[in-house]
Amino acid sequence: MIRLGTCRPDLERAVALLRAGKLVAFPTETVYGLGADASDPDAVARVFAAKGRPADHPVIVHLPDAGAMKGWAREIPDTAWRLAEAFWPGPLTLVLRRGESVSPAITGGQDTVGVRVPGHPVALALLRAFQGALAAPSANRFGRISPTTVDHVLAEFDAVDADGSVAAVIDGGPCRVGVESSIVDLTGAAPRLLRPGMISIGQLTDILRARPIIPPDNRGPRASGRLESHYAPATPVERVEASRLEARIADGRARGEHLAVLARSARPPDQTGLEWIEMSDEPGVYAQRLYAALRELDQADADRILVVAVPDQPDWAAIADRLLRASGGSAQA
Ligand code: TXA
Ligand code: MG
């Protein structure tokens, strides 16, 4: 896999690879995406093969601007234009009725398509230079944690991508948002929030002029992000209330468990011999670091990662959702 920079010649090289049907991982503000020419079903099929992802899972189409929605969706409702105006470029995906020419490889055979304009200068520069749309799921193997740095992308694909279909990765530094986009489905009678992200329900409600419905987790193939045990490290993850942490660690010690801890507090001086990452009390900062922290703790050879539960508040909803999935629980939001 070639590692490209963000200068013009490197972006031109990425464009040439994409036009040749190859895959190029690129930074977005949320997580790194594994990009393919969205108008080339064979290239899109290579994304599924590289990720090890079942074919009935739709991928998001990344667009250079909101106007490009017209080429990919039909019967675009007014709410879509309003949300686009308010939040694009940015961490929001809209599910719309698919345009006639959109390949079933992208939609997973459904009559809908997910579209978004990413809020990252490198992603936008790539899309503009490419003069088309890029189908891009998160650049991780199926069921694993999304990558937020180039090293994460390399760790996912460099060793295992035997046929070399992931041709290159563009290094845009660490992702600013850190968790995947909010997904709003606008194809039903009322808007539905399929995946919470760092655009809060309150912000969406303001623009939609109605609170989106939060569907119960159906665990169906419709949105792979809604499968149980998604976004999970290899080490088992256990959610623990802050008030229970000390007792849980003591209990683990008594059983000879090697523990790793993701907390929002500093490691107490008497707690030695465990891996400990102190996260921020600010949800934006916490989210930005979350996946890198989970990957780091996953490398610690621990028997178990204890994750301290986050506040039950709207600003923390996306983080709470990802922690729940990482711990193999079903998503509630
Ligand atoms: O932030 C993001 O959205 C990142 C960056 C790379 O843009 N992308 C991302 O893609 O998270 P992916 O494929 O890992 O997750 C996209 C989610 C999946 O759960 C997929 O099933 C859902 O979006 N999705 C895509 N199109 C859909 C559709 N037509 N209907 C319902 N869900 C859809
Ligand atoms: Mg993903």
Side-chain angles (χ1 to χ4, degrees), residues 31-32 51 53 137-147 180 195 224-225 230-231:
V31 301
Y32 274 73
K51 277 186 66 100
R53 181 171 177 164
S138 51
N140 53 278
R141 312 247 326 138
F142 183 65
R144 312 274 311 157
I145 305 169
S146 295
E180 303 82 354
R195 179 173 72 184
S224 68
H230 212 67
Y231 309 101

Side-chain angles (χ1 to χ4, degrees), residues 169-224:
V169 56
I170 303 173
D171 188 350
C175 301
R176 177 173 58 80
V177 176
V179 297
E180 303 82 354
S181 58
S182 310
I183 304 180
V184 177
D185 180 352
L186 297 173
T187 63
R192 299 189 319 143
L193 182 64
L194 299 184
R195 179 173 72 184
M198 294 308 282
I199 294 179
S200 70
I201 295 176
Q203 284 175 289
L204 294 169
T205 302
D206 284 349
I207 304 297
L208 289 166
R209 300 173 198 145
R211 201 179 147 82
I213 294 165
I214 299 167
D217 184 17
N218 58 19
R219 299 183 195 175
R222 208 169 138 70
S224 68

Side-chain angles (χ1 to χ4, degrees), residues 106-277:
I106 287 192
T107 64
Q110 304 179 61
D111 191 39
T112 60
V113 64
V115 293
R116 93 176 185 99
V117 178
H120 191 294
V122 174
L124 289 172
L126 179 67
L127 283 161
R128 283 180 196 134
F130 182 62
Q131 294 185 309
L134 294 175
S138 51
N140 53 278
R141 312 247 326 138
F142 183 65
R144 312 274 311 157
I145 305 169
S146 295
T148 54
T149 68
V150 159
D151 287 337
H152 296 167
V153 177
L154 292 170
E156 290 291 318
F157 293 109
D158 224 12
V160 288
D161 179 37
D163 64 357
S165 61
V166 184
V169 56
I170 303 173
D171 188 350
C175 301
R176 177 173 58 80
V177 176
V179 297
E180 303 82 354
S181 58
S182 310
I183 304 180
V184 177
D185 180 352
L186 297 173
T187 63
R192 299 189 319 143
L193 182 64
L194 299 184
R195 179 173 72 184
M198 294 308 282
I199 294 179
S200 70
I201 295 176
Q203 284 175 289
L204 294 169
T205 302
D206 284 349
I207 304 297
L208 289 166
R209 300 173 198 145
R211 201 179 147 82
I213 294 165
I214 299 167
D217 184 17
N218 58 19
R219 299 183 195 175
R222 208 169 138 70
S224 68
R226 299 198 70 75
L227 282 181
E228 191 177 1
S229 183
H230 212 67
Y231 309 101
T235 312
V237 173
E238 181 181 323
R239 284 159 73 247
V240 182
E241 293 301 328
S243 59
R244 287 261 318 129
L245 181 63
E246 211 179 311
R248 176 64 187 81
I249 292 172
D251 181 49
R253 273 192 203 288
R255 284 189 275 143
E257 245 181 344
H258 178 204
L259 295 172
V261 178
L262 190 71
R264 279 175 299 116
S265 53
R267 175 209 303 264
D270 57 334
Q271 297 290 8
T272 52
L274 21 88
E275 309 297 324
W276 188 292
I277 294 182

